[in-house]
Amino acid sequence: MAELDVEKLSMDVAAQELIKKAQAEGIETIFDRAKTMKPCPIGVEGACCRICAQGPCRVPPPKKKAGEETGEEKKQRMGLCGATAETIVARNFARMVACGTSAHNDHSRGVALLFKEVAHGRTQGYEIKDVTKLRRVAREWGVAITVGEGEDAKPRSKNEIAQELADKVLMAFGQQSGELQYVARAPKKRQEIWRKYGVAPRGCDIEVVELMHRTHMGVDQDYRNIMKQATRCALSDGWGGSMISTDLQDIMFGCPVPVASEINLGVLKEDHVNIIIHGHEPLLPEMIAMAVQEPEMLEYAKSKGAKGIQLAGMCCSANEILMRHGIPVAGNYLHQELAIITGALDAMVVDVQCIFQSLANVAQCYHTKLITTDPRAKMEAGALHIEYDEHHALDVARKVVREAIDNFPNRRAPVMIPAVSHPIVVGFSYETIQYLLGGSIRGTYYTLNDNVIGGRIRGVAGVVGCNNCRTTQDSSHMTLIKELLKNDVIVLSTGCAAMAAGKYGLLTPEAASQYCGPGLAEICETVGIPPVLHMGACVDNSRILMAATACVKAGGLGTDISDLPAAGAAPEWMSEKAIAIGQYFVASGVYTCFGVTFPSTGSEIFTDYLFKGIEEEYGGKWDFIADPEEMARKMIAHIDSKRKALGIDKARERVLMDMDMRRKLEAAAEEA
Ligand code: MSK
C-alpha cells in the first residue's frame, strides 16, 4: 500500500489515528484510492458527453478566450452530433441537479407515504408528536383544523387533520401544473421573479422528469434554456421535496429544540454494543432509537457480556436523530470506513445516500455486520438486508438491534477507539431560532434583524455540504467558518459541514468568546447560543430558506432574500445533491460559493453565465473558490456590499469602535 501523509488527508486526529491503523492492518480505504486514482481531467470540467452510444465525446479545453475562437477551432470543440461545449457542460450540470433533486424528493415521498400511514393509525411505533406544527402546516395547505361554524366550531382530531394533509401533500408529487404550495412561503418579490422567468416549480416529480428529457440526446440545445429547467427542478427540491420532508418529519418525530450531545469516534464505547446508523432517512433510525432503550434489549445486551448499547450516527441520518434526541454522532462522511476500522462497531445500519460500496469490503475484514435496510439501496455482497416496513417498523428495528447484540461476542481485531470527542449543542430549527433570537412575544426574526441593522452581526452565512477526499477533511470548513465568525458573521449550518464544526468545538456557546468578533460574541453570549447554529440534515437546508425568508418578512433588511447581507458556501462538497442545493440557493437570490472543484469549467461561456449572468435574473450567483480564506473574503465582501445597498454599512462602523477609537475620533474632530 502507498504511504499516506495522514495530516494532509484529514485535520481530524481521530481520523488520522484510524487511517494509520488501517494502513498497519493492510485495509484499503478511500484515502488510499484517492492517492492512486486521479480524477479524469475532462470529466471534472463537465466536458465529457456520455448521453448517447456514439461517444463518449470529450471536448478539450479551449485554446483561446470565448468569442475569439475561429469557426474551425469551435468545430474541434464539439461532440459528434455538433453539441457545443456549452450544451455538453450545461447538460451534465443539469443532470447533477436532476439527480440531486430526485434524491431529496424521493426521500420526501417516503416521508409523506409514512405520514399518511401514521395518520390512519396503520404503523407501529410512530405517532404525531408536534400537533402545533401539524396545525400550522395544515392551515397552509388549506386543511381545516376545526369542524363546524362560529361558536359551534370544534377542533378536529390530529389524525383527521393529518389524513387530509397527507392526501394533499402526496398530490404535490404528481402535480402537473400550477405551483407547489411552498412557493407561497417565499417573499412576494421572489415569487414574482420565479414567475417572470417561468421557473416556479409545478410538482416534485415533473421537474426532474422534464429535465432528464430535455438533456437527452438531441433535445434542448440552448444552455440558458437547459438552466431554466434546471432552476425549476432545483426549486422543486428546496421549496418542495426538502421542505415537505422537514415539515412532516418535525410533525411526526418532533420539531428540534436545543439539545446537548457529543461528536466524533470517541463516542463509541468498548464495553458496549456499538451501532451506527448511516445515510439520510430518519424513518427507521427513529425506531432504532426507541428499540435500544427498551429494558429487554438492554438485558439481552448484558446477557452477551456488554454493559449497554451505544447508538451513534453518521452523515445525515445521524443529524436527524441528533437534532431530535441528542443521540451522539460518530462522524461525518469520510469517517464511515474508519468507524469499522475501530474494531468496536458491531453493526453499521445504512439506508440511502452517501454510503460507500467499499463498506462491505472493510466490514468483512472486521466483525462488523453491515445491514442494509432500504429496498432502493441494496448491496450485491457482504451485507445483510433487513428491510424497513413502516407497518412493523419497531419490530424491524428490534431485529436490527438484536443482530448487533448477537455480534458483540464476535469482536476479533484489536479495538482502538480514539479518545476524541467534543460536546455540542444542536437543535436550531427555524422555529427555535425564531424563539431564541426573535422572542416568543414578537414571534419574528426582528431581534436578529435589529442586530444585523445595528452592526453587531455583520451578516449571515450558510455553510453546508460534504467532505471530499480530494481535500483535507474538514480543513476548508474550519478555515472558512472561523474567518466568518471572526468577522461577526453568524453561521447557519447543516449536513457534514455542521458536524465538522462540532468536531472542533464550534457548536458550543463557549466558542463565541473564543472565535467571534466582538459584536457576534456579545449576541451569542447574551442569548447563550453557539456561533454556528446546527440546523439539521441536508433536507433541512429548507430551514435556512425559511430563516432567510423570515428575516425578509421581519423588516428592515430589504424586500427579498437577495437583499440580505447573506451568503452561502459548500467548501468541501462532493454530492450531486449539493449541486441541486446550490442551484436552489442561487435561484432564491443567494451568492453561493463552492470549493474543491467546479463541474462547469469545460465551458467558459456557461461558467460565465453561472458566475455572472444568472445574477441579473435571480439576484444570486455561483462562485468557485478553492482557497477557503479567499472564499471567506469574497463572502464578507458580498455581505458588505449588501449592507451598503441597504444603507446600514455605517451602523457597523459605529458598533465596532471601542472607547479608545471613539476618543481618538472625537479628539481629531475637535482639532479639525
Ligand atoms: S451526508 S450529501 S456527504 S453533507 Fe447529507 Fe454529508 Fe454531503 Fe452526504
Side-chain angles (χ1 to χ4, degrees), residues 104 278-280 314-317 319 332-334 336 353-355 464-467 477 494-499 536-539 541 572-578 581:
H104 286 147
H278 170 29
H280 279 78
M314 195 156 275
C315 281
C316 283
S317 293
N319 280 327
N332 45 3
Y333 170 74
L334 282 176
Q336 53 188 288
Q353 302 165 24
C354 301
I355 297 148
V464 306
C466 324
N467 286 146
H477 285 306
T494 61
C496 292
M499 292 176 171
C538 293
V539 290
N541 284 309
E572 297 181 29
W573 77 282
M574 65 85 206
S575 132
E576 288 170 310
K577 289 180 295 169
I581 292 165

Side-chain angles (χ1 to χ4, degrees), residues 2 9 203 207 246 264 268 286 367 375 539 593 630 641 671:
L9 302 178
E207 308 307 355
T246 300
N264 215 335
L268 299 178
E286 278 286 323
H367 80 298
V539 290
C593 304
E630 174 67 6
S641 74
E671 271 178 34

Side-chain angles (χ1 to χ4, degrees), residues 267-295:
V267 304
L268 299 178
K269 294 180 180 167
E270 186 160 0
D271 53 8
H272 279 53
V273 173
N274 289 305
I275 305 173
I276 286 182
I277 57 109
H278 170 29
H280 279 78
E281 296 191 355
L283 314 189
L284 183 58
E286 278 286 323
M287 292 300 107
I288 293 177
M290 278 167 78
V292 295
Q293 291 176 44
E294 291 180 335

